[in-house]
């Protein structure tokens, strides 16, 4: 019976546990025998390559036989690497734009690709019309300055006149207030005190007359005085009572009529003087406001003229465009605008003329598939190879991972979701040019001192992983647990021991000896995991000859 030798097969990346996917990300599930015929033509090349590898890696003697290749399991350390292809770009690119209003013409342009320093001349634009406008605005500015100075002098004179008139009105107002205070605190107080004193004197006289009359009533009852004496004392009492009424009436007339009348007159004098002061102030303010408005109008006219002059001077300065930072000159191109940037071409305001990437800090932009983004983190070490510099290896670090998938190529493959990842290079040199192809190797993690085998030694069935122990030419399948993986090795966490010998290729018949998973065993696993693993195994199940 003829024996078909399978080429080195690989592990299905989706079936590897945890981070082991990183080492098998580019491989597929175990292939059916019909497809293996495609590999017969390359088998010899593979065998020879692995034979050389055996010499380098220190495989045991007789590792390569006529039908099998054997790998001796040992402990080793190796890095877990994620490879990605991308494009070199500058971390900072400055857009050099035309800042001249309207349209103008390029009369001189620096050569493309030249490395320039800060403030070096990049572009010179036509400036004849702008120079003419600068001269016109300078003449207008001189006239505006003279007009403003004359208006300011007129305003100063008016302010002095208004101040003199206000001082006179304030003096008249103070005199009116002084007369008011003199009457309230002097004359009126004196007259009120005299009237109140008369009221008190009348009350005292009335009290004495009233007391005498009361005593006279007792004396007359006891027959000590006559009726005439009694009547005389009654009259004295009534007379004193009238004097009280007269004194109180005089005080009331003063408080009710004379004092309010005088106060009203004095208050009116004060109000009139205050109004006159207000009128003079308002009139002065109105006249000053007119003068101020005239001054401000002339100042605004001057400011507008100066702004126009400043703008045209800036426009004149903008006719010479200099590099704001060091960089490499790249003429700007736009797929929607076929016009090329050349001397003599016309450009418009805000149009980008030159892109100036700064080569002091360079980045590599790569695209990472969504299934691998969980392994990529800022700060991871990266080695980068540049196609344009084949003899150099550059180092860098992951500095940024896009939060959303890049949709630029979604129209080609709607199901493909990739994330832009930014790698900052540690080195900076003029040989690094934006736009060239770069290949990055991101150090995900490192496996230290663990049993490991090449990924082609591992076979997957029903979500489980196996290797073939070298036991004769056919080999015996052995279930293993996988750890992290690289492109060259997969860590084995259980199932093998050091110095075990595993086969790198087996026949279809030997592969058929991998045990099927019975119902009892599969029921011990989560149903969701079983479903995914069984579907993967069915896709990789070899055909029966």
């Amino acid at each position: 019976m003829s024996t078909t030798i399978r080429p080195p097969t690989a592990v299905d990346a989706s079936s590897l546990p945890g981070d082991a996917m990183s080492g098998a990300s580019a491989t597929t599930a175990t292939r059916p025998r019909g497809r293996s015929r495609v590999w017969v033509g390359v088998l010899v090349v593979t065998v020879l390559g692995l034979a050389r590898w055996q010499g380098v890696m220190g495989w045991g003697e007789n590792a390569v036989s006529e039908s099998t290749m054997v790998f001796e399991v040992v402990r080793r350390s190796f890095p877990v690497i994620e490879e990605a292809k991308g494009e070199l770009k500058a971390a900072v690119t400055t857009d050099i734009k035309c800042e001249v209003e309207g349209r103008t013409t390029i009369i001189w342009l620096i050569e493309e690709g030249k490395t320039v320093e800060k403030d070096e001349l990049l572009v010179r634009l036509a400036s004849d019309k702008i120079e003419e406008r600068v001269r016109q605005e300078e003449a207008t500015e001189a006239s505006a300055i003279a007009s403003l100075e004359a208006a300011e002098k007129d305003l100063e004179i008016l302010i002095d006149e208004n101040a003199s008139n206000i001082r006179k009105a304030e003096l008249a107002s103070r005199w009116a207030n002084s007369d008011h205070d003199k009457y309230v605190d002097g004359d009126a107080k004196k007259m009120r005190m005299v009237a109140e004193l008369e009221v008190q004197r009348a009350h005292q006289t009335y009290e004495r007359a009233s007391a005498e009359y009361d005593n006279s009533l007792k004396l007359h009852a006891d027959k000590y005085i006559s009726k005439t004496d009694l009547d005389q004392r009654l009259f004295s009492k009534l007379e004193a009572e009238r004097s009280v009424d007269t004194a109180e009436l005089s005080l009331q007339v003063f408080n009710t009529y004379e004092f309010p009348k005088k106060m009203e007159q004095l208050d009116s004098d004060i109000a009139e003087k205050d109004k006159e002061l207000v009128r003079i102030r308002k009139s002065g303010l109105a006249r000053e406001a007119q003068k101020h408005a005239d001054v401000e109008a002339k100042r605004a006219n001057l400011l507008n003229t100066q702004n126009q002059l400043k703008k045209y001077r800036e426009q004149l300065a903008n006719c010479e465009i200099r590099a704001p930072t060091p960089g490499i000159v790249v003429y700007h191109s736009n797929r929607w605008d076929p016009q090329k940037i050349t001397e003599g071409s016309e450009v418009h305001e805000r149009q980008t003329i030159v892109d100036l990437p700064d080569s002091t800090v360079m980045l590599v932009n790569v695209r990472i598939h969504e299934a691998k983004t969980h392994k990529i983190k800022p700060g991871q070490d990266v080695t980068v190879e540049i196609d344009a510099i084949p003899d150099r290896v550059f180092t860098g670090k992951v500095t940024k991972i896009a939060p959303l998938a890049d949709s630029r190529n979604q129209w080609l493959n709607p199901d493909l979701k990739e994330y832009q990842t930014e790698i900052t290079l540690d080195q900076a040199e003029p040989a690094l040019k934006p736009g060239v192809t770069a290949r990055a190797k991101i150090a995900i993690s490192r496996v230290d001192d663990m049993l490991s085998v090449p990924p082609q030694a591992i076979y997957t069935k029903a979500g489980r992983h196996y290797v073939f122990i070298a036991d004769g030419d056919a080999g015996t399948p052995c279930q293993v647990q996988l750890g992290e993986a690289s492109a060259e090795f997969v860590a084995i966490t259980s199932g093998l021991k050091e110095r075990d010998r595993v086969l790198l290729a087996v026949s279809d018949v030997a592969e058929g000896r991998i045990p099927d998973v019975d119902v009892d065993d599969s029921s011990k696993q989560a149903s969701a995991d079983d479903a995914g693993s069984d579907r993967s195994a069915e896709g990789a199940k070899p055909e029966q000859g």
Side-chain angles (χ1 to χ4, degrees):
M1 180 180 70
S2 61
T3 301
T4 302
I5 304 299
R6 289 182 50 82
T9 59
V11 182
D12 182 1
S14 64
S15 65
L16 293 182
D19 291 338
M21 290 177 61
S22 61
S25 59
T27 61
T28 59
T30 306
R31 299 177 179 84
R33 189 182 65 175
R35 184 174 296 181
S36 67
R37 296 191 183 96
V38 179
W39 290 86
V40 174
V42 298
L43 178 58
V44 176
V45 177
T46 306
V47 170
L48 291 176
L50 290 173
R52 289 185 63 188
W53 191 18
Q54 178 239 356
V56 174
M57 302 303 297
W59 295 1
E61 295 181 0
N62 302 322
V64 180
S65 67
E66 180 178 339
S67 59
T68 62
M69 293 174 288
V70 180
F71 179 84
E72 187 175 74
V73 180
V74 296
R75 291 185 176 275
R76 69 182 69 249
S77 300
F78 58 88
V80 179
I81 301 295
E82 178 64 39
E83 298 187 8
K85 183 178 179 181
E87 183 179 277
L88 197 66
K89 63 173 289 187
V92 177
T93 298
T94 305
D95 295 336
I96 307 301
K97 299 178 180 292
C98 171
E99 300 293 342
V100 178
E101 291 183 350
R103 291 184 171 273
T104 186
T105 304
I106 299 174
I107 60 176
W108 181 85
L109 184 64
I110 194 171
E111 61 181 311
E112 189 172 19
K114 183 179 179 181
T115 300
V116 297
E117 299 298 329
K118 183 179 178 181
D119 295 329
E120 189 170 344
L121 183 62
L122 302 177
V123 183
R124 183 177 286 115
L125 304 173
S127 60
D128 295 346
K129 295 181 179 179
I130 300 176
E131 291 174 353
E132 177 62 26
R133 289 303 302 267
V134 168
R135 288 191 291 269
Q136 293 176 2
E137 293 300 329
E138 287 175 343
T140 305
E141 181 191 31
S143 176
I145 291 174
S147 297
L148 176 60
E149 291 175 350
E152 288 175 340
K153 293 295 183 182
D154 291 342
L155 176 61
E156 291 176 3
I157 295 172
L158 178 62
I159 291 174
D160 289 341
E161 291 179 354
N162 288 340
S164 178
N165 294 334
I166 290 172
R167 283 194 298 271
K168 293 177 182 179
E170 287 176 342
L171 183 60
S173 177
R174 284 197 300 272
W175 286 346
N177 280 278
S178 178
D179 291 342
H180 176 276
D181 295 340
K182 175 178 175 293
Y183 177 74
V184 172
D185 298 331
D187 298 343
K189 185 178 293 187
K190 179 181 177 181
M191 288 186 287
R192 183 177 288 107
M193 290 173 63
V194 170
E196 289 174 349
L197 183 60
E198 290 297 327
V199 171
Q200 291 176 1
R201 185 181 292 112
H203 275 285
Q204 290 177 357
T205 301
Y206 171 74
E207 288 173 359
R208 285 195 302 270
S210 180
E212 289 178 356
Y213 175 70
D214 292 339
N215 291 331
S216 297
L217 288 176
K218 293 180 181 181
L219 294 173
H220 180 266
D222 294 336
K223 305 297 184 176
Y224 287 108
I225 62 174
S226 63
K227 178 72 167 64
T228 303
D229 291 336
L230 179 63
D231 292 338
Q232 181 63 38
R233 290 177 182 180
L234 176 60
F235 178 78
S236 297
K237 175 183 177 182
L238 293 175
E239 185 179 23
E241 186 177 5
R242 293 291 182 182
S243 296
V244 169
D245 293 339
T246 301
E248 289 180 345
L249 181 60
S250 297
L251 179 60
Q252 182 180 2
V253 169
F254 175 78
N255 288 331
T256 306
Y257 300 104
E258 292 180 1
F259 180 77
K261 177 181 177 182
K262 186 64 175 179
M263 288 298 299
E264 187 175 355
Q265 179 181 355
L266 293 173
D267 289 339
S268 176
D269 291 342
I270 292 174
E272 287 299 324
K273 299 301 181 182
D274 288 342
K275 288 180 180 179
E276 180 65 19
L277 176 60
V278 170
R279 283 194 296 269
I280 291 175
R281 284 175 173 170
K282 286 183 177 180
S283 176
L285 290 175
R287 294 168 63 193
E288 285 184 21
Q290 291 178 350
K291 288 295 182 181
H292 274 295
D294 186 42
V295 169
E296 291 304 320
K298 288 180 169 55
R299 182 175 286 116
N301 181 54
L302 175 60
L303 181 61
N304 182 59
T305 301
Q306 290 175 335
N307 288 337
Q308 287 291 105
L309 180 58
K310 180 182 177 181
K311 183 185 75 172
Y312 283 115
R313 283 174 176 168
E314 289 176 351
Q315 293 285 298
L316 185 60
N318 290 337
C319 289
E320 288 191 353
I321 304 177
R322 297 184 178 274
T325 60
I328 303 170
V329 175
V330 179
Y331 294 166
H332 183 75
S333 60
N334 187 343
R335 69 177 65 182
W336 311 113
D337 186 1
Q339 180 184 5
K340 294 183 178 180
I341 302 298
T342 60
E343 292 183 4
S345 61
E346 191 178 68
V347 292
H348 56 79
E349 185 181 7
R350 306 302 301 165
Q351 178 179 344
T352 302
I353 303 175
V354 171
D355 295 324
L356 198 64
D358 183 0
S359 60
T360 57
V361 180
M362 299 298 289
L363 308 175
V364 179
N365 267 355
V366 298
R367 299 161 70 87
I368 302 297
H369 192 275
E370 62 178 339
K372 305 175 185 178
T373 54
H374 70 283
K375 299 182 293 184
I376 309 298
K377 296 179 177 59
Q380 291 175 331
D381 293 327
V382 185
T383 58
V384 177
E385 296 178 356
I386 309 295
D387 285 1
I389 313 175
D391 298 330
R392 291 281 305 277
V393 176
F394 298 86
T395 60
K397 292 185 181 297
V398 175
T399 52
K400 183 180 179 181
I401 303 170
L404 300 176
D406 189 355
S407 59
R408 286 183 298 176
N409 296 326
Q410 195 171 13
W411 62 278
L412 291 174
N413 185 357
D415 297 327
L416 179 64
K417 291 182 174 58
E418 295 178 317
Y419 289 75
Q420 287 280 0
T421 301
E422 189 176 273
I423 298 165
T424 302
L425 297 184
D426 297 330
Q427 302 90 340
E429 56 180 70
L432 297 175
K433 304 291 185 181
V436 301
T437 301
R439 290 175 172 79
K441 296 181 179 180
I442 305 173
I444 304 299
S445 61
R446 181 174 179 81
V447 174
D448 291 319
D449 193 31
M450 291 188 67
L451 299 178
S452 57
V453 300
Q456 58 264 38
I458 298 173
Y459 295 80
T460 300
K461 185 174 184 179
R464 299 184 178 186
H465 308 292
Y466 300 86
V467 298
F468 281 84
I469 303 296
D471 181 11
D473 289 341
T476 301
C478 174
Q479 185 176 346
V480 294
Q481 298 293 327
L482 306 184
E484 292 186 297
S486 69
E488 296 179 349
F489 297 103
V490 179
I492 304 298
T493 60
S494 66
L496 291 177
K497 62 183 182 299
E498 196 167 5
R499 301 303 177 185
D500 279 347
R501 293 160 57 83
V502 298
L503 301 180
L504 298 180
V506 298
S507 66
D508 291 339
V509 174
E511 187 175 346
R513 294 169 56 195
I514 295 176
D516 293 327
V517 179
D518 58 29
V519 176
D520 292 338
D521 290 339
S522 61
S523 63
K524 296 177 183 179
Q525 303 179 21
S527 59
D529 294 337
D530 285 342
S533 299
D534 290 342
R535 285 193 295 272
S536 175
E538 289 175 4
K541 187 175 181 180
E543 297 178 355
Q544 301 298 323

